Amino acid sequence: MDNKEIQEAIDNIRELKEIITSKQKLLTPMILSKDFINMLLSASILLLITTIITATGYINNSSFWDFPIYLKAIIMLSLLANFIQVLIRKLKAFNENTKISIATTIGEIFSVDIIVSLFLAIFFCVIFATITKLNWIYLPTITIAYGSLIISMADKVGIIEFKYIGYITIFIGIISMLFLQVPLLILGFSMYTIILFSYFVVLNISRRNKV
């Protein structure tokens, strides 16, 4: 290689490093912010409460639709309240820790290949469940697909913690197949309680190490 080719290689490496650095600056402040991490903790606690309430309903009923109307209302309201608090606190963390628009962020993260991969995973899940009549396959398959999505996002936004989170999600999705005798509603709530809490633990440890 002559000096010109060596210089071009150095310039390419420098450009790649700048791209990675800029993507790290894009979302890292929000992901590792105290508001965002505490949001994950509160979401996991609220979902745990919802799981416990749901489990009490299954003590005397074989299906969610057989629950007393007040119990179904409490479960639905608790899920709605959790969704609202997650949305509000996530937007607050975003607004306070980034200087970019939400549209720009979505464009950076959700590229065409990621969206196509996610829809293909869901499509395969639906087709497989329809053919085999194994409806329980939805839960672990979508969870595994979601974990894979998070891992693919790690390199795009330069946040290594996403890989750890993604692997944990996939592991929980696989392990869930051992507990399919549990009502799917309880299993799903339990899985995502553990997933959200694991996100909290991973990001909280990372934040403390970087302070």
Side-chain angles (χ1 to χ4, degrees):
M1 295 177 66
D2 57 27
N3 291 337
K4 183 178 179 181
E5 290 176 332
I6 293 173
Q7 185 59 47
E8 288 179 353
I10 293 173
D11 291 340
N12 290 336
I13 293 172
R14 185 181 294 112
E15 183 180 353
L16 179 62
K17 184 177 180 181
E18 289 175 355
I19 292 173
I20 294 174
T21 302
S22 66
K23 288 186 176 182
Q24 287 176 330
K25 292 179 180 179
L26 192 67
L27 284 180
T28 300
M30 184 197 84
I31 298 299
L32 297 182
S33 68
K34 188 174 181 180
D35 287 335
F36 187 85
I37 294 173
N38 287 341
M39 177 271 293
L40 291 171
L41 178 60
S42 62
S44 63
I45 292 173
L46 286 174
L47 193 52
L48 174 61
I49 294 172
T50 306
T51 304
I52 294 172
I53 295 172
T54 304
T56 61
Y58 274 101
I59 292 175
N60 298 315
N61 302 279
S62 59
S63 168
F64 171 78
W65 306 111
D66 297 327
F67 288 8
I69 186 67
Y70 74 88
L71 198 57
K72 287 190 283 191
I74 291 174
I75 293 170
M76 298 300 291
L77 288 174
S78 65
L79 291 174
L80 179 61
N82 203 355
F83 174 80
I84 292 174
Q85 75 91 18
V86 165
L87 182 62
I88 292 175
R89 297 182 71 174
K90 189 179 291 185
L91 288 175
K92 180 183 177 183
F94 183 91
N95 291 330
E96 291 181 354
N97 295 281
T98 62
K99 297 180 180 180
I100 53 174
S101 67
I102 294 178
T104 300
T105 304
I106 293 174
E108 283 283 343
I109 295 176
F110 296 106
S111 57
V112 174
D113 57 325
I114 288 180
I115 295 174
V116 170
S117 298
L118 181 61
F119 273 100
L120 284 175
I122 295 174
F123 177 74
F124 170 78
C125 172
V126 172
I127 295 299
F128 183 83
T130 302
I131 294 174
T132 62
K133 300 188 184 301
L134 298 175
N135 292 327
W136 57 263
I137 200 69
Y138 284 109
L139 191 56
T141 303
I142 291 176
T143 301
I144 292 170
Y146 177 58
S148 301
L149 173 65
I150 295 175
I151 292 172
S152 68
M153 288 167 54
D155 292 329
K156 292 183 176 295
V157 298
I159 301 176
I160 189 63
E161 290 81 6
F162 275 17
K163 287 192 176 181
Y164 306 140
I165 288 172
Y167 289 131
I168 290 172
T169 304
I170 291 174
F171 176 75
I172 293 173
I174 294 172
I175 291 298
S176 70
M177 296 182 186
L178 301 175
F179 299 93
L180 295 174
Q181 71 277 12
V182 177
L184 286 183
L185 199 58
I186 296 178
L187 180 60
F189 288 165
S190 301
M191 285 171 58
Y192 280 86
T193 296
I194 297 171
I195 287 172
L196 288 172
F197 185 73
S198 68
Y199 292 2
F200 162 75
V201 172
V202 170
L203 294 181
N204 194 42
I205 292 173
S206 183
R207 182 174 185 272
R208 290 177 181 274
N209 291 337
K210 291 183 181 180
V211 171

